[in-house]
Amino acid sequence: MDGGGGSSGSGADVFGSSTAPLTWHDFLERMRHPSAADFVKSIKSFIVSFSNKVPDSEKDSAAVQEFLANMEAAFRAHSLWAGCSEEELESAGEGLEKYVMTKLFNRAFASIPEDVNRDDELYEKMALVQQFIRPESLDIKPTFRNETSWLLAQKELQKINMYKAPRDKLVCILNCCKVINNLLINASIASSDNPPGADEFLPVLIYVTIKANPPQLHSNLLYIQRYRRQSRLVSESAYFFTNILSAESFIWNIDANSLSMEDDEYQRCMESARAVLSGLTSDLVNESAPVNREANAQEQTESRARREHERTRVSVLDLVKKGAVDLMKDDQVNEYFQEYPFLYARAGDLTVPDVESLLSSYKQLVLKYVSLSKAMHITNPSIPLLLTQGKDSESKKEGETLEKSSSPEPEVPEAGSSSEDPFVDQSVGKE
């Protein structure tokens, strides 16, 4: 399927035969055909019916899975797909899942209060643990430690809240895992070690997940489990998804023993992290060490600066978290990105004239971001959403290992906002 404006590429190792020649826009075009009127009516009817029911995660999941299976079976028997290959039929199923679940996102995602509470608990725990966790805490071998690749993996995982379709969210997880897996393989080859297995992969994934700490991770994983077509959650995608579920489970149960720490030390670290996140100083005063007035005054000044910095940093994180949540619940989310035409573009989509425009936009972005950071007293500011391939060849090499087909697609047009949406066509009737 189309990966955000470019043509579909090969990637069967991730999604089986789901990366087919039929693009997302082709699917919408086919559904606009007069003979697809019954399909359109059934899909709209299901969306309305589902939206009006009281949330019940088990029943909701079963209903969506059954509907998708029945519709895909109907596709196979319809003249619109007569003579089509398995890849094209598979792609039509992907298009159906994407459309239905994007329309149902606000109703289906984090719809149970318990899930929302678990999201907050997990986010808070990772925010605390990431203050003091180290690679050695998870017994990650020095050979497999690479902060540059880990940062790239974190950025891939942090994209998960940018999308509504289960497949697109899953792609973010797979890309994160692919960066880690490639790092482990390359490191083992360089050191002539045995090929890395789950014992090497999972600790790195846990570390990366804690450092990334994407908001609503618990609900994102449940959403994929419940609404990604079960027949497509197989092979490599199933393996990596199972691993991140294991990572989540490990993080929930983190204690002193799991981090190879003494219990007293673990409790001190957690209390210190809570103090930092509360805007209090994280430094413990060593009362036995000799101090003088000048040194004490300097320490107090530095402590105040650290507290102010931590308040600012936590405040920014909270704002980003709230903004991401509010943005994805907005029915007109696509409108916010209309002025950013290259958001979903690939390198191959760009033309020579685009470079000058992008360079100018980049300079303006850096100037605005650094100015904002200066005003908020953030030292050594960096733009968190920009990859570092341009200034680090190793990061670029890792980024190139991601499959082109493993790019989330543009979001589904909102109802009534696009003439490309066959489900709001005048001949069928508006919702």
Side-chain angles (χ1 to χ4, degrees), residues 42 105 156 207 233 282 324 379:
S42 296
F105 180 80
E156 292 297 329
Y207 184 82
L233 196 53
S282 60
T379 58

Side-chain angles (χ1 to χ4, degrees), residues 192-211:
S192 300
D193 284 345
N194 294 325
D199 289 343
E200 290 75 31
F201 177 82
L202 185 57
V204 177
L205 179 59
I206 292 170
Y207 184 82
V208 165
T209 301
I210 291 173
K211 287 295 186 178

